[in-house]
Amino acid sequence: MADKVTAGRDVLGEFAPKFAELNDDVLFGQVWAREDKLSARDRSMITVTALMSSGVLDSSLQSHIERAKNNGVTAEEMAEILTHAAFYAGWPKAWAAFRMAQEVYKD
């Protein structure tokens, strides 16, 4: 992964510095960097599916849909991912995710 993530420190650095460190350095710095094990594109697809399925339908999901797009997931693939996951996660969650995906892929 080329870009260093600083979201944890940007948002929670002063309030929860350890959480921010784990988010930025471990999750995104170490786990996402293991592209020899699983590509960033595949990690993005898994993460979007997991967030939607868990009902995390906030800016976290939108950020990961954007990350998926940046990691090469096409609009058509995203639509297929969300459609497939809808049967397991629930229709209302898919509707919310589709609204975000439409916004991300509108161009």
Side-chain angles (χ1 to χ4, degrees):
M1 189 166 141
D3 297 334
K4 178 161 175 48
V5 172
T6 62
R9 286 183 176 89
D10 294 346
V11 177
L12 294 173
E14 289 184 33
F15 185 76
K18 187 59 172 180
F19 182 87
E21 174 192 341
L22 292 169
N23 182 82
D24 297 352
D25 300 343
V26 177
L27 175 59
F28 288 102
Q30 294 175 25
V31 176
W32 275 82
R34 295 167 36 113
E35 291 189 29
D36 61 319
K37 307 291 185 213
L38 194 63
S39 72
R41 182 180 185 280
D42 290 350
R43 287 184 196 279
S44 285
M45 291 188 290
I46 293 164
T47 303
V48 166
T49 303
L51 290 173
M52 185 192 99
S53 297
S54 298
V56 180
L57 305 171
D58 61 10
S59 62
S60 297
L61 177 57
Q62 181 143 359
S63 293
H64 277 284
I65 292 171
E66 290 168 1
R67 181 176 296 276
K69 180 181 178 185
N70 292 336
N71 286 334
V73 177
T74 67
E76 294 78 17
E77 290 170 325
M78 182 58 67
E80 188 64 23
I81 291 163
L82 298 178
T83 299
H84 182 79
F87 287 93
Y88 300 95
W91 223 246
K93 291 175 186 173
W95 270 102
F98 270 118
R99 286 186 185 101
M100 290 180 194
Q102 276 186 307
E103 182 66 26
V104 169
Y105 286 95
K106 69 180 172 187
D107 51 355

